Amino acid sequence: MLLSVRSLLAQEPTFQEFLQQFPKATLPYSFDTAALKDQIETGVPVKVKRLDWSYYQFLPELERSAQFSSKPVHPEPVAVFETDDFYAVLYNIARGLTRGTKTYSISIFEKNGAYVGTHFIAGVDNQHLTTATIDEQLNARIEGFN
């Protein structure tokens, strides 16, 4: 079977297909602090869908994140937000089989799909809890607990 460059390019996902991998959510958005605390106490993770590898290209921060750990990175889509000027995707950066640990990041894109940036926004492990409320302008108010 002979594959043409054209057929390979046709298989590349679009930015809109990438956005469709995330459940739509409205702003303001707040993390459920009680649910995150429960993950620490019980160690029982919430079962979620992982982002298919073909969409990793839209999250350039994943490569940098992977450089600091030998464990594989598996982004888990949490939400997509839309404002007048931007899209934002919220996801957990799962590593290996780590249970009870969540590292939530938000990546911002211009409406045309141009990447703007990524920030850690919330997380939980056996010692720390960080929550956030994201407002309508994609500003986050972050709170940390020990």
Side-chain angles (χ1 to χ4, degrees):
M1 175 193 289
L2 182 63
L3 291 175
S4 70
V5 172
R6 187 174 305 219
S7 67
L8 290 174
L9 291 175
Q11 296 173 7
E12 288 291 315
T14 66
F15 179 66
Q16 289 301 316
E17 290 170 332
F18 164 70
L19 293 177
Q20 291 171 7
Q21 304 307 301
F22 295 79
K24 290 183 181 180
T26 58
L27 295 168
Y29 181 90
S30 294
F31 283 86
D32 184 341
T33 305
L36 289 175
K37 284 182 183 178
D38 189 48
Q39 287 180 26
I40 293 173
E41 294 168 6
T42 66
V44 177
V46 176
K47 188 158 181 119
V48 295
K49 177 182 124 185
R50 290 187 170 170
L51 189 66
D52 186 84
W53 69 268
S54 63
Y55 297 105
Y56 283 30
Q57 66 181 307
F58 294 101
L59 299 172
E61 190 65 20
L62 290 179
E63 184 175 337
R64 188 191 72 75
S65 177
Q67 292 173 351
F68 294 101
S69 176
S70 60
K71 294 180 182 178
V73 176
H74 303 285
E76 301 170 344
V78 175
V80 62
F81 310 104
E82 182 177 2
T83 69
D84 290 340
D85 299 316
F86 300 101
Y87 288 107
V89 295
L90 179 63
Y91 54 97
N92 173 43
I93 300 176
R95 292 191 180 279
L97 298 174
T98 305
R99 294 180 182 254
T101 300
K102 298 286 184 177
T103 304
Y104 294 98
S105 294
I106 190 166
S107 292
I108 311 295
F109 301 87
E110 294 177 1
K111 287 290 187 136
N112 65 4
Y115 174 75
V116 175
T118 297
H119 298 282
F120 166 79
I121 198 158
V124 63
D125 62 28
N126 61 355
Q127 298 177 356
H128 305 93
L129 172 68
T130 305
T131 63
T133 299
I134 307 165
D135 70 17
E136 290 85 354
Q137 289 77 40
L138 298 175
N139 297 308
R141 186 185 48 156
I142 298 173
E143 295 183 68
F145 307 93
N146 287 329

